[in-house]
Amino acid sequence: MCGINGIFYKKAREEENLSQVVRKMNGALSHRGPDAEGCFAEGCVALGHRRLSIIDLSEEGRQPMHSACGRYVMVFNGEIYNYPELREELKEYPFSTQTDSEVLLAAYVQWAERCLEKLNGMFAFAIWERKAQRLFLARDRMGIKPLYYFEDEEKLVFSSEIRSLLASGEVPKRLCRRQLSDYLRYQTVHAPETMVEGVKMHAPASYTFWERSGKRSTEAYWLISSSSRSIVSSREEARQGVKELFYDSVHRRMQADVPFGAFLSGGIDSSAIVGAMARSSDRQVMSFTVNFEEKAFSEARYARKVARLFGTAHEEVLIRPQELLELLPQALQAMDHPSGDGINSFVLSGAIKRAGVTMALTGLGGDELFAGYPVFKRMKQAQRLRWFWELPVFLREKAAKGLGVWKKGVQSDKLQALLRLPHFSEAHLYAQARQLMIESQLEELLGDECASNRVIEETKAIFDGSPGLFSQLTQAETQTYMRNVLLRDADQMSMAHGLELRVPFLDHRLVELAMSLSDEWKFPHRPKQLLVDSLGGLLPDEVVSRPKMGFVFPWAQWLRGDLRAFGTQCIRYLEE
């Protein structure tokens, strides 16, 4: 895991000037790669790299990396989990390291952009083709590793983080006011846009060629929607497929030459990963969980049970209000892009890194693939009530007004808005489920600057496309909430501590299988039943049947108690 930077001018520049720009960018990414720094500059292009060593810790693995023929130069952030098999396919290449980075470079030399179809991993990388004088950028299928860029008439600047783009001195520091409404609705800005004017996020599962002439071409090499075709014929075959792919995914993600561990909440997803790690490893697994004195928010008792079951070296991170207050400035500083969440990941990542761990596995993605979120059940129930939207408008308007009188609050306001829709719409229902600020509040706050709801626009095509409501929801969750909140927060908050996170549930083979399965197999009686049944007796009943809890801090209690003075002070400051 690393950080990458680069700048590509249409006209040649002095190499020293190019190097200076990229070194500034590298400096802004030092937290992502504390082990080494590298820079390459030539003619019109410069590439920068900060290294966090995970596989092959030797000096030979440093980047930018040059191909054996000297025609290609690469900077790479991420991990290629099937690199041993690819290395076997590329026997004729004169390898000089044991890194997955060199295997990736050799694969590009051999297959060009078609190499992407062969990769199993999380990645964002750039390759400069010295002879063709063009730049190649690519990103992994699920959008796990970030890649931002800025482009104008003179240049292209790209990086793993926005702060590095701004540090280059080549990107204007201007707020994109058009994205404020998106942020206030969802506490994030949905890709490809960002909160900075002109800065975009490169699309996942896609690659782009940039040429000196200014010509640019972008192509997708994988589509999650194409995975919805059936590839198994029975429920038992589905269970066996989930089991095999899950265990293989976990095993592949345990490849490392550094100490590693796992996030453990005691829920189904993280417990399954810890169990699979324990079965795949000949050494004791390290596990970590956050604990609170407020028992209603603490999952520690479940995590302890799982840790005892699988014999992990378990550590609990007890968080109290005052301790969080002390960490808050650091957590906010770690946010490369504004987020309404992520502080929890910052705290746990810091504790794991202090324990001497450099890489950790997380259960992110399990809810999205196996119908674990409440929105899956609620959307299914809503579909059964779609007849309500066939009633006359005046009747639905009366129902909305009555609800407004009977019940106040955000949830009531959301439901009233849905009742007033001209017709039943899965896209509107889904967007409302994830929305945090209602439209009337946005319009009052932003007036004419209140932009349309991007989640509704993006998910309309999804709900009109892939068969099966749960597969549609998996795609919607993946392309909106998971990609723009969970993955972004996980990356920026873990890498703030130089910790690599790996996500076994987002192996594209497992995603393709889950997308192809019927709703009845995924959720016949309870959430994630297919996943639990596929793993046999791996998880105890206490974990399987426990109430679902989100990874959230007890903010309400803290702000009424120990943090009350702090909250009051902030409100007074805003009022002034």
Side-chain angles (χ1 to χ4, degrees), residues 254-271:
M254 293 173 67
Q255 300 175 84
D257 295 325
V258 294
F260 59 83
F263 285 17
L264 177 60
S265 68
I268 290 173
D269 301 331
S270 64
S271 299

Side-chain angles (χ1 to χ4, degrees), residues 177-478:
R177 294 187 62 86
R178 296 189 308 277
Q179 305 309 324
L180 281 175
S181 53
D182 197 29
Y183 179 79
L184 292 172
R185 280 191 186 98
Y186 297 105
Q187 294 189 353
T188 190
V189 175
H190 290 81
E193 305 299 333
T194 70
M195 197 67 88
V196 181
E197 187 75 46
V199 173
K200 308 288 185 183
M201 179 173 267
H202 193 284
S206 300
Y207 63 86
T208 302
F209 283 105
W210 268 277
E211 301 182 19
R212 290 189 67 175
S213 63
K215 181 181 178 182
R216 181 180 73 171
S217 59
T218 300
E219 297 288 341
Y221 63 89
W222 184 81
L223 294 172
I224 188 173
S225 57
S226 65
S227 305
S228 59
R229 59 185 182 277
S230 179
I231 55 179
V232 298
S233 57
S234 69
R235 192 187 302 253
E236 184 54 40
E237 188 180 351
R239 290 173 180 168
Q240 188 62 31
V242 169
K243 179 179 180 180
E244 291 176 0
L245 288 176
F246 175 72
Y247 274 100
D248 183 67
S249 177
V250 171
H251 179 72
R252 287 180 181 274
R253 283 156 181 78
M254 293 173 67
Q255 300 175 84
D257 295 325
V258 294
F260 59 83
F263 285 17
L264 177 60
S265 68
I268 290 173
D269 301 331
S270 64
S271 299
I273 286 174
V274 168
M277 290 175 72
R279 291 190 175 186
S280 299
S281 179
D282 56 1
R283 58 180 172 173
Q284 188 180 33
V285 174
M286 300 177 70
S287 60
F288 302 83
T289 189
V290 167
N291 191 10
F292 305 108
E293 292 176 336
E294 294 78 8
K295 299 303 180 185
F297 288 82
S298 176
E299 299 180 281
R301 63 187 183 279
Y302 300 109
R304 288 183 207 122
K305 184 176 183 65
V306 174
R308 286 195 298 270
L309 177 65
F310 297 115
T312 72
H314 188 60
E315 182 175 323
E316 293 180 8
V317 183
L318 180 62
I319 301 297
R320 298 183 178 91
Q322 194 58 41
E323 294 167 342
L324 180 69
L325 200 59
E326 294 171 1
L327 287 171
L328 194 57
Q330 300 173 44
L332 294 175
Q333 181 64 33
M335 284 188 184
D336 180 55
H337 189 279
S339 171
D341 204 349
I343 294 176
N344 42 16
S345 297
F346 178 85
V347 172
L348 186 54
S349 295
I352 293 175
K353 186 67 175 182
R354 289 191 294 274
V357 171
T358 305
M359 182 272 284
L361 273 61
T362 171
L364 195 158
D367 284 314
E368 289 81 359
L369 294 192
F370 296 103
Y373 288 129
V375 68
F376 284 84
K377 184 176 181 179
R378 291 171 185 167
M379 289 286 285
K380 198 76 169 180
Q381 293 171 335
Q383 278 196 336
R384 299 191 188 103
L385 296 173
R386 63 188 310 152
W387 57 265
F388 185 83
W389 279 266
E390 297 174 6
L391 294 175
V393 175
F394 77 91
L395 288 178
R396 289 189 283 117
E397 179 64 30
K398 282 188 175 182
K401 288 181 178 178
L403 180 64
V405 172
W406 174 65
K407 188 175 182 180
K408 303 291 185 181
V410 174
Q411 294 302 321
S412 174
D413 292 339
K414 286 184 179 182
L415 186 53
Q416 290 176 62
L418 291 174
L419 293 176
R420 293 186 171 105
L421 288 176
H423 55 80
F424 180 83
S425 167
E426 285 95 345
H428 281 82
L429 285 167
Y430 174 76
Q432 288 279 23
R434 285 295 180 198
Q435 194 164 335
L436 299 172
M437 182 177 283
I438 60 176
E439 295 302 313
S440 59
Q441 293 173 323
L442 279 169
E443 291 168 2
E444 182 179 351
L445 187 64
L446 299 178
D448 294 339
E449 291 185 335
C450 184
S452 58
N453 193 317
R454 300 245 323 270
V455 171
I456 293 175
E457 295 172 355
E458 184 167 345
T459 57
K460 277 181 180 177
I462 294 174
F463 289 110
D464 291 338
S466 303
L469 176 63
F470 287 175
S471 291
Q472 292 170 348
L473 283 168
T474 291
Q475 186 178 349
E477 287 284 281
T478 297

Side-chain angles (χ1 to χ4, degrees), residues 29-42:
L29 290 187
S30 59
H31 54 282
R32 294 187 73 95
D35 296 328
E37 177 184 11
C39 179
F40 165 83
E42 177 182 79

Side-chain angles (χ1 to χ4, degrees), residues 137-208:
L137 296 181
R139 196 164 169 228
D140 66 71
R141 292 173 178 85
M142 300 304 293
I144 302 170
K145 291 293 97 191
L147 183 58
Y148 298 96
Y149 68 93
F150 172 85
E151 184 180 19
D152 62 17
E153 296 80 7
E154 298 179 350
K155 62 187 174 295
L156 164 76
V157 194
F158 66 87
S159 178
S160 297
E161 294 189 3
I162 295 175
R163 79 183 79 215
S164 179
L165 293 178
L166 299 178
S168 71
E170 299 287 335
V171 178
K173 299 179 180 180
R174 291 197 298 263
L175 174 71
C176 187
R177 294 187 62 86
R178 296 189 308 277
Q179 305 309 324
L180 281 175
S181 53
D182 197 29
Y183 179 79
L184 292 172
R185 280 191 186 98
Y186 297 105
Q187 294 189 353
T188 190
V189 175
H190 290 81
E193 305 299 333
T194 70
M195 197 67 88
V196 181
E197 187 75 46
V199 173
K200 308 288 185 183
M201 179 173 267
H202 193 284
S206 300
Y207 63 86
T208 302

